[in-house]
Amino acid sequence: MDILYIMNVDWNWIKQRPHFIAELLSKKTNVHIVYQYRYQRTGLQQRPDRELDIEPIFVIPRGDRYKITSKINRLIKKRRVHRKIKNTNANVLYLTFPDQIDVIPKKYRGLIVYDCMDNHPEFVSNIIQKRELIRKEKQLIDRASVILATSNNLIETLKIRYGDKIEKKVHLIRNGFGGSILPINETKQIERSQLYTFAYFGTISSWFNFDYILQSLTDFQDIQYELYGPVAGVQIPEHERIHYHGTIEHDKLLENVKNADCLIMPFVVNDIIKAVDPVKLYEYINFNKNILVSEYDEIKRFSPFVHFYNSYSDFKKEICSLKQNCEIKYNNLEREEFLKKNSWNQRVEAIANIIDEEERKTHENSTL
């Protein structure tokens, strides 16, 4: 089996679901990775290719903003993908974003997998652009043999948007934990700051609740926030107790958050967030810290490991409680068992089995 894996993010973006899945699938079969090169290359990491077949597609910079150049860019991507399919004899196309329907050859007869990671249309504010994205996602869903979704909320959203007919080909494949489970002694806080320290790592964007952060800094003079990760479309408020450190290499995260008292995920719960199964929660648990998170249905299963809040009043109460009692909510055995059951290895094993089964059914039907 040869898989052409078309990524929707730069290979050197902070490590997310596409990176984990592409790397681990490559250990099971031939995987060829293509992605659109991003010219505004801020907040990226230097990620080793691990001898993978990785190919950037170079298009006109910022060309997608204009009608004519966007058509040219689409043609460039289409030709590169067609050439890659021909050169590799890829019999599986693994797609990760709705507009990738544009690069599939009309005569392609291989298996098409659509890995739906987010409620993509909700990221678009322009009504015309949103409708176009929905139209393309419908085309991709109609053509795909396999649909993977990261959350139950996302599956229900897809059913409402595109009809119950997708139920026969959609599979719940949540995000997972990657890397090694850290020995408990490596996660211990070496020194405690005079200020109670909250830390966050991940993308900082419109869903980040800076209102709660700023209000808490007013209400508590003995707390501070340490933020790590790329910034997308927002500006971090200037405050003497908000410290932004930029993007940190994935293997350097522990040494940077080791002395934090609590890890946070202070998200505004909107339609984007409701569909998210956050990779960072798995990683937070590995770091053996208390965790403070905005509550929504999809992540209630994390309740043994996190402290939830639903309002600023809850947020404030949890901060008071965490400062008074530094004991970790979960024990090491619970941590290890959860991470083992929810590893990326487990997720990719399930994906490989789904693809194999669909390939088998396709082959049987073709021989009838």
Side-chain angles (χ1 to χ4, degrees):
M1 183 163 59
D2 277 79
I3 299 176
L4 179 55
Y5 194 106
I6 305 177
M7 292 184 65
N8 63 317
V9 292
D10 195 293
W11 178 250
N12 291 305
W13 189 247
I14 59 173
K15 199 167 187 179
Q16 296 178 331
R17 179 184 179 97
H19 304 91
F20 286 111
I21 292 177
E23 283 183 356
L24 291 172
L25 275 177
S26 69
K27 295 180 179 180
K28 295 178 174 294
T29 189
N30 298 320
V31 176
H32 316 278
I33 302 164
V34 296
Y35 68 93
Q36 181 177 327
Y37 183 88
R38 306 294 175 181
Y39 289 90
Q40 293 107 357
R41 297 175 66 79
T42 58
L44 300 187
Q45 301 177 339
Q46 293 303 311
R47 181 167 296 109
D49 59 21
R50 302 181 187 276
E51 299 183 350
L52 297 174
D53 177 17
I54 303 172
E55 185 176 318
I57 299 176
F58 298 95
V59 296
I60 299 171
R62 302 187 180 185
D64 293 341
R65 298 183 178 186
Y66 309 101
K67 194 171 183 180
I68 294 177
T69 51
S70 67
K71 285 184 177 180
I72 296 172
N73 281 352
R74 192 157 57 245
L75 182 61
I76 292 170
K77 288 184 280 189
K78 189 173 183 177
R79 286 181 174 176
R80 292 294 295 275
V81 169
H82 287 206
R83 188 187 315 147
K84 196 72 175 177
I85 292 172
K86 183 178 180 180
N87 292 341
T88 62
N89 292 314
N91 57 348
V92 177
L93 290 186
Y94 195 112
L95 308 182
T96 55
F97 196 77
D99 67 4
Q100 291 170 355
I101 184 68
D102 294 333
V103 305
I104 304 175
K106 289 183 179 180
K107 295 182 179 180
Y108 184 74
R109 293 294 177 265
L111 192 69
I112 296 174
V113 177
Y114 173 38
D115 191 351
C116 185
M117 295 174 274
D118 288 297
N119 188 353
H120 296 297
E122 289 303 318
F123 285 83
V124 182
S125 56
N126 181 287
I127 297 298
I128 295 174
Q129 292 175 351
K130 179 180 287 191
R131 286 174 181 168
E132 178 65 7
L133 193 63
I134 290 173
R135 184 184 70 82
K136 289 186 176 183
E137 187 167 53
K138 183 180 185 305
Q139 286 182 331
L140 179 51
I141 281 175
D142 287 343
R143 193 158 180 198
S145 302
V146 172
I147 302 168
L148 309 176
T150 55
S151 68
N152 284 311
N153 177 280
L154 195 48
I155 289 175
E156 292 307 311
T157 298
L158 293 176
K159 287 180 183 178
I160 292 169
R161 192 175 285 151
Y162 306 114
D164 289 337
K165 61 184 179 180
I166 73 165
E167 190 163 4
K168 293 182 179 180
K169 53 184 178 180
V170 68
H171 305 265
L172 176 65
I173 300 291
R174 298 188 186 278
N175 289 324
F177 165 71
S180 302
I181 298 176
L182 295 168
I184 199 73
N185 62 304
E186 289 187 17
T187 66
K188 288 182 178 178
Q189 198 171 27
I190 297 174
E191 57 182 274
R192 181 169 275 115
S193 169
Q194 290 183 334
L195 301 177
Y196 190 92
T197 302
F198 294 95
Y200 169 89
F201 58 80
T203 303
I204 301 168
S205 193
S206 59
W207 51 78
F208 203 92
N209 197 335
F210 280 114
D211 289 343
Y212 281 17
I213 300 297
L214 290 171
Q215 184 60 51
S216 68
L217 289 169
T218 299
D219 292 340
F220 299 94
Q221 299 302 310
D222 58 349
I223 67 172
Q224 62 182 348
Y225 292 91
E226 308 289 335
L227 309 180
Y228 305 84
V231 178
V234 296
Q235 187 168 355
I236 296 174
E238 291 188 11
H239 193 286
E240 62 182 2
R241 285 180 281 129
I242 297 177
H243 308 125
Y244 175 61
H245 303 277
T247 300
I248 302 295
E249 297 295 329
H250 195 265
D251 59 1
K252 301 285 178 54
L253 283 174
L254 176 60
E255 66 186 70
N256 282 275
V257 302
K258 194 170 191 175
N259 289 321
D261 297 287
C262 181
L263 301 174
I264 58 166
M265 197 178 83
F267 288 172
V268 176
V269 180
N270 54 26
D271 285 340
I272 293 173
I273 296 303
K274 286 177 183 177
V276 170
D277 180 46
V279 173
K280 68 174 53 59
L281 281 188
Y282 300 94
E283 296 179 325
Y284 279 8
I285 292 168
N286 191 36
F287 289 153
N288 195 44
K289 302 283 184 185
N290 273 317
I291 303 165
L292 181 58
V293 181
S294 51
E295 183 177 18
Y296 57 97
D297 286 345
E298 203 62 46
I299 61 170
K300 285 182 178 178
R301 61 198 180 86
F302 287 93
S303 59
F305 302 93
V306 308
H307 297 266
F308 283 125
Y309 66 88
N310 287 288
S311 63
Y312 180 72
S313 176
D314 291 343
F315 188 67
K316 186 175 179 180
K317 287 178 183 176
E318 290 297 337
I319 292 177
C320 288
S321 176
L322 286 163
K323 286 170 55 189
Q324 290 171 6
N325 179 13
C326 293
E327 185 177 346
I328 307 299
K329 185 174 183 179
Y330 48 94
N331 62 45
N332 188 47
L333 179 61
E334 292 168 333
R335 178 181 76 108
E336 290 184 350
E337 287 182 348
F338 179 84
L339 294 175
K340 287 174 183 176
K341 290 179 181 177
N342 292 277
S343 70
W344 278 118
N345 284 316
Q346 298 287 336
R347 304 295 194 244
V348 171
E349 187 69 30
I351 291 171
N353 289 338
I354 290 167
I355 293 175
D356 285 342
E357 177 62 18
E358 194 61 36
E359 279 273 276
R360 184 189 61 78
K361 290 192 294 186
T362 302
H363 177 73
E364 287 178 355
N365 291 335
S366 66
T367 57
L368 292 177

